Amino acid sequence: MQLETAARAGFAIPETMITNDPDEARAVIESRPGPVVYKRTGTGRGAFTETRLFTPADFDKLTTIRNSPTIFQDYIHAESDLRIVWVDGIEWVVRIDSQSGVGRVDSRLDTSVAFTADRLPASVSKSLTTLMGALGLAFGVLDLRVGLDGEFYFLEVNPQGQFAYLEIKTGLPIFRSLANLLVLGDGTVTP
C-alpha cells in the first residue's frame, strides 16, 4: 500500500516485489536487467537483517523465504540516502553520505560517514506532504535514495522508525519537535 500511495503522490519507486514464494522470486530476479536487493519484511525477535545485494549464491537460500515475506527491489545506484523524520508537516531531512562507507546498499550499516541536515526540493516536499496525508500519518521516518540520475526514490515510511541517531549526528531538534507535537499539538520548534 505504501509504494502504491507513494507512486500516486509523485515519487519514483524502484521495481518491487514482496513475496514468500521462492519460484516467483527467482523468476522476477532473473528477469531484472540490473542488480536486485532484498530484505526480510516485518519485525520480530529475529536478528536484524539489513538490505543486501542479491548474488548468485543467494538462489540456494530462496526456500527460506517461505516463512518470512521478503522484499525484492531493483537496486538504485545512489548519490546519497535521505532519512526524513516527519512531524505533522515538519520535515527533518538528513542527507547520509552512504556511498563513502560500508553502507552503500543499506545506510544503517555505517554511521561513521557524514550526516548533514538538508532540505527537500519543493516538488519532493509536496509529494511527501501528499503521501503522509494519504496515509493519515502525523509522524513517520522515511527513507529516500537519491539516484545517480538525480531522482528521489521512495523506499519506505516507518510509522515508528528510529531517529535518535539523526539528532545526535546533526543537532536537529527532532525530539523537541516531537515533544511539542505531543504536548502542544504543534511540532514547530522556536529558538
Side-chain angles (χ1 to χ4, degrees), residues 67-132:
N67 298 321
S68 181
T70 302
I71 298 170
F72 296 90
Q73 197 168 57
D74 282 352
Y75 177 67
I76 303 299
H77 294 278
E79 179 262 308
S80 62
D81 287 283
L82 300 177
R83 192 145 172 109
I84 303 158
V85 181
W86 172 270
V87 181
D88 201 29
I90 299 169
E91 305 165 357
W92 300 104
V93 181
V94 177
R95 182 174 295 267
I96 304 169
D97 186 19
S98 56
Q99 302 310 292
S100 69
V102 297
R104 288 178 194 89
V105 175
D106 187 331
S107 68
R108 299 172 298 170
L109 299 179
D110 190 353
T111 59
S112 71
V113 299
F115 283 64
T116 311
D118 205 351
R119 296 183 68 123
L120 295 174
S123 62
V124 178
S125 181
K126 181 179 179 185
S127 292
L128 178 57
T129 300
T130 301
L131 169 68
M132 297 303 280

Side-chain angles (χ1 to χ4, degrees), residues 21 33 52-54 61 109-110 113 124 127 157 163 173 184 187:
D21 181 326
R52 299 177 182 178
L53 276 170
F54 195 90
K61 301 175 195 170
L109 299 179
D110 190 353
V113 299
V124 178
S127 292
V157 57
F163 63 89
L184 305 172

